[in-house]
Structure formats: structure tokens, C-alpha cells
Amino acid sequence: MDPTNNRDTDTAPSDNEYLLDPSEAAEIVPDDPDHPMDSDGEDVQADGEAHEEIQLQNDSIAYFDLHTDSIFCIANHPLTPTTIATGGGDDTTYIFSADVSLPVLPSSYESSPSTSRSSLQPMAKLSGHTDSVNTLTYTLPSGEYLITGGLDGQIRVHSTTITSPTPYPLLASAQEVPEVNFLIPCPHPSHPDTFALGASDGSVWVYTLDASDTSSPLQVLQAYYLHTGSCTAGAWTPDGKFLATVSEDGSLYVWDPFGEAAAAGVTDSSSSSSSGQAAIVGLTTADQRFAVEDGLFSVAIAPSGAFAAVGGAHGIIRIVGLPRLSPISTSASAAASKSLKASSGGGGIAKKTPGGGKKASGLIETTPGGSSSSGQAGAILASLQVQSESIETLAFSPHHSLLAAGSVDGSICLFDTAHRFTVRRHIKEAHEDGFAVVQVAFGASSAEEAWLLTSCGMDGAELRASISGAWQKSGEGIGAKGKAVGSWDL
């Protein structure tokens, strides 16, 4: 073998042998840091697809953006709905007015639309909380007070009628619990300016306000300690006589804060508070018919006051009878009678009904009769399971026999309470990509508006749809989606 062909003996060429002498270059291309040579003039993502440019236009009539952290709660004044209070993660509450003049057309239709708009200015800025303000409410019936609750365990009461020298002055405060989960105003006509509080330690408090008592304007009416887990939600009956609360421990209690049920002899001897006062309804996981593993997170009470719906983990909803201390109207009684008729029950698969809808999966044990009497208080009237994950929000239509349920699985389910809780519509992925539904609500001002269902989701969107349409056509199923009348990405 020729030793000159031995690769092991070859020496590597020097780097200089591969360099091009500048004098030999035909053209020198200048460096352009803003336009790489391999981009071909397009803005390309890592996956090779070109970026899509989206033009955003704010067509809202007004906006408010002074919070410096997430907004966790919002409330409208009961007499002046355009007066809005908001609380957020910046430990601050703002009050502002949305009473602005409406343009004929949105700004995007203007020949020279403004590129910037100013935020609404606050009527008042309230501080004093040392952690996030996660709940607030105006008192009923006239909104004389604004109560704020926070993760610091404080409740702070501000007067809405005093505007000088400073608006919304602090009237009273209290700190009895680790964290405040919710505040709800009581609609009882004989107990104005009363509200309920649910706390992270499971306790439930009922307060009343009396500004004329300068030494103690904030007074505790009742305190209950039967929940062993965080109290997650609460609701007053429409007449304000009873308060229903649910907990992460899977329990439901219905309280009698003003003693009206006790005076009528309606109590549940198996459930008594530490103060000795009995709850009129008490259901826990010890009752296997009621048990919802992993807790309850929502509660709503029918407009008739005849029954409550509680929602929990795994998409489970229980319908529970409530006592009635006074007669209800003929129409309400008839609707309640229809909704509580006996069902053949059972069945793990939804079945067609003559009305064209579907019977709820797992529907069990409905009780015959008209409005719930004291004998039906605490009876499990129905069990529903259509959605797959936790029921975060429930709402009854004030004018129609509808119950809406919003779930963490991103769906909204509509039940017909006058026909054995038939599933009238199951809207899957009501919010894009299956984001959790955290709030549903029906319009309340009129029967026509009650066909409008509004939902809010973790996708940052507020959606509103009319659900009348095919609903009113007997013998036909309901479409997968309602007729959208508007949606807003927040």
C-alpha cells in the first residue's frame, strides 16, 4: 500500500485554506438584524406557521380599569343598577357609575375612531382589607349599605347614603372568621338590611344593621356551626324566611334565623346548632341517598320556595323539599305539583320522553303532592347527573320552569322543573375549549327577558343566549345551542 494514501498519516488542512479572500467576493450583503435572510419576509412561528394579526376593537359603551389585580366580585345597587361595586385582589373596592350616554353606533363605525378612551372614574375607593376582597353585596330592600368581605376574614360595612365629607364612609367592621366565602342579602320584608355570611371554617352568620344604634350598628342575629368543612354557598328562600347553606363536607342545612319555623313547630330534631336552635333541614353524607363524595359547591331555591337544588362534585345535583309556612299561589302550586310527581326513576342512560326531551340520567325518587309541606321538608325529591364535573353554579328562572346548571366541564344543562326535571338542553363546551362555567343567571325583569340566559366562564367571556326558540315547539327536541344574542370576551 502506498503510504501516501494512509488516512492516519494525513494532516488536517489549516482553517485558512477554506477562507474566501474579500477581494474574490462578487458582492457583500450588509447585515440586517430586523430582517433575517431566512424569514422570506414573513413572521414565522416556531412550528412554521405564519403569525395571524388580529385587530381588536373596543365597542363597549364604557369601561373601568383602575383595579391593579384580578376582580373577584361585582354587585349592582338594587335601586340604581348602573351603580356598580367591584372588589379584587388589590384589597380594594371601587364604586362607579355606568350611567353613560349611548352612541348611535359603536366607535368602530366612526370615520375616525378614537385610538384611546378614558376609564370611568370611581365614585368612591374603599380600602381597609389586608387581603383580597372576594365578596360584596348591597343590603335589601334599598341598598342603604354596602358590605365587603375578604380573605382576611373581615366584613366592612359602608353607608351608601352619606356622601359628605367623604362618600361611602365606614360604619362598622367585624372579624370573626378566617376567610369570608360569600355574603348574601336577606329579602325578608320585616327584616331589612340583614345579610348572611358563609366562612371557610364552616360557620354561618346572620347579621343585621341599624345605623341608629351608634354604639353597635352591626349586630349578630344567629351563628351556626354544624358544617365541618368550608361553607361554599348559600341562598335565601324568596320570602327571606329560611337560609340554605352547603359545604365541602357534603352537608346541606336549612336555617330558621327568625324563628318562624320553630314557632310553627317545624324543626329537624336530628340537627341542632351549638346554641340549641334546630335546623329545619339537615342532610349529610351519612345518608347514602343524599351523599355526594368530594363536597357540595352550589345551591339555589325555586321561585315557589318549594324545593332547593344543590350541586356538587362529579356533576351531581340533588333536589330537596323545603317546608312552607304560608300558602303559595295556585299557579306556583300547580308548577310545584308537576315537578314533584313520582317518577319511574332508575336508569343510568338518558331516555326519550313524549315531550321530545331527555330524562335526566340517574333521576330517582320524586315525591307526589303540591307545594312542599313540613312533611316533605328534607325529602330527596330527585337526583340528577348529566354533567361530568363539579356543578359550580345553579339558577332558577324567575318566570319559567327552568333550572340551569353550570359545570367545571364547560357545559350548561337546562332542566324542566315542571316535567320531572327533564333535560331540555345540554350545551357542551358552552365556553370555548371547555373552560369551566362559574356563573349562570336568567333575566329577571320580565317574562320575555327570562328567556335570556347569561353565563360567565374561566375563558374570560360573558355569553348571553335566548333559549326560547325551539323550546316552545312541542314534540321537538332542543337544539344543541341557543340563539346567541351577544357575547363579550373579557
Side-chain angles (χ1 to χ4, degrees):
M1 178 180 294
D2 187 350
T4 60
N5 294 327
N6 190 342
R7 294 180 181 269
D8 296 333
T9 60
D10 287 346
T11 58
S14 66
D15 293 340
N16 291 333
E17 295 182 20
Y18 296 100
L19 294 179
L20 179 68
D21 189 279
S23 61
E24 300 177 7
E27 180 182 2
I28 298 178
V29 179
D31 183 30
D32 183 2
D34 295 328
H35 189 76
M37 294 180 64
D38 60 351
S39 69
D40 294 330
E42 293 185 1
D43 191 4
V44 181
Q45 303 182 67
D47 59 5
E49 295 183 2
H51 283 290
E52 180 183 359
E53 184 175 349
I54 301 175
Q55 296 292 336
L56 298 178
Q57 177 65 45
N58 184 356
D59 280 339
S60 62
I61 61 171
Y63 73 95
F64 182 82
D65 66 352
L66 296 191
H67 279 287
T68 58
D69 205 332
S70 299
I71 298 173
F72 295 136
C73 50
I74 186 168
N76 298 79
H77 191 281
L79 301 184
T80 313
T82 54
T83 298
I84 300 170
T86 58
D90 54 6
D91 312 342
T92 303
T93 301
Y94 284 101
I95 299 93
F96 60 93
S97 174
D99 186 13
V100 297
S101 58
L102 297 176
V104 177
L105 292 173
S107 59
S108 58
Y109 283 78
E110 297 175 2
S111 57
S112 300
S114 174
T115 57
S116 63
R117 297 163 56 196
S118 299
S119 167
L120 294 173
Q121 294 304 302
M123 301 164 55
K125 177 182 178 181
L126 309 179
S127 58
H129 284 281
T130 58
D131 205 338
S132 300
V133 179
N134 64 320
T135 180
L136 49 76
T137 186
Y138 285 97
T139 57
L140 296 175
S142 56
E144 289 189 18
Y145 307 100
L146 173 67
I147 304 102
T148 63
L151 295 180
D152 57 1
Q154 281 195 82
I155 54 172
R156 299 176 65 83
V157 180
H158 298 264
S159 172
T160 66
T161 58
I162 300 175
T163 58
S164 180
T166 58
Y168 282 71
L170 180 68
L171 181 66
S173 65
Q175 187 171 5
E176 305 286 354
V177 299
E179 296 178 359
V180 180
N181 284 346
F182 64 82
L183 297 167
I184 44 175
C186 177
H188 199 305
S190 300
H191 298 277
D193 302 320
T194 298
F195 64 96
L197 175 156
S200 60
D201 61 1
S203 62
V204 178
W205 302 70
V206 179
Y207 291 89
T208 191
L209 288 159
D210 182 6
S212 63
D213 186 350
T214 56
S215 62
S216 182
L218 180 62
Q219 300 174 1
V220 177
L221 289 182
Q222 299 290 345
Y224 305 103
Y225 305 95
L226 289 185
H227 292 300
T228 59
S230 179
C231 185
T232 51
W236 291 94
T237 53
D239 56 14
K241 294 179 179 180
F242 306 139
L243 170 67
T245 58
V246 295
S247 168
E248 286 182 353
D249 65 6
S251 62
L252 160 70
Y253 290 106
V254 181
W255 312 103
D256 178 27
F258 311 115
E260 297 187 29
V266 179
T267 59
D268 180 0
S269 58
S270 65
S271 303
S272 60
S273 68
S274 59
S275 62
Q277 185 176 15
I280 55 176
V281 172
L283 292 170
T284 69
T285 54
D287 185 342
Q288 291 302 311
R289 299 170 303 165
F290 179 77
V292 178
E293 296 297 330
D294 301 323
L296 298 172
F297 308 111
S298 54
V299 59
I301 296 177
S304 66
F307 51 87
V310 298
H314 315 298
I316 296 174
I317 300 172
R318 305 283 194 235
I319 308 297
V320 180
L322 299 179
R324 294 291 297 174
L325 301 184
S326 58
I328 58 176
S329 66
T330 303
S331 59
S333 178
S337 177
K338 289 181 180 179
S339 65
L340 304 181
K341 284 183 178 179
S343 166
S344 56
I349 302 175
K351 300 177 181 179
K352 289 288 184 179
T353 65
K358 292 182 179 181
K359 184 181 294 183
S361 171
L363 185 64
I364 64 170
E365 194 183 352
T366 55
T367 304
S371 62
S372 287
S373 64
S374 59
Q376 291 181 332
I380 302 172
L381 306 175
S383 180
L384 316 170
Q385 188 175 14
V386 177
Q387 292 146 294
S388 61
E389 296 187 44
S390 300
I391 304 298
E392 290 292 308
T393 175
L394 291 164
F396 285 96
S397 171
H399 297 283
H400 307 297
S401 57
L402 301 176
L403 168 65
S407 172
V408 172
D409 68 9
S411 72
I412 297 173
C413 195
L414 298 174
F415 300 93
D416 187 347
T417 64
H419 294 87
R420 303 179 182 180
F421 298 96
T422 297
V423 178
R424 289 301 187 186
R425 191 174 294 169
H426 185 199
I427 309 171
K428 298 181 179 180
E429 293 192 2
H431 286 259
E432 287 188 6
D433 300 323
F435 277 95
V437 180
V438 295
Q439 189 71 40
V440 292
F442 289 96
S445 62
S446 66
E448 182 64 28
E449 188 177 293
W451 288 115
L452 294 179
L453 178 66
T454 302
S455 70
C456 297
M458 291 298 290
D459 56 351
E462 176 185 351
L463 308 177
R464 178 171 292 177
S466 172
I467 58 173
S468 56
W471 178 277
Q472 298 172 325
K473 299 178 182 178
S474 61
E476 295 184 9
I478 304 303
K481 295 184 178 180
K483 178 183 177 183
V485 295
S487 62
W488 303 267
D489 289 322
L490 304 178

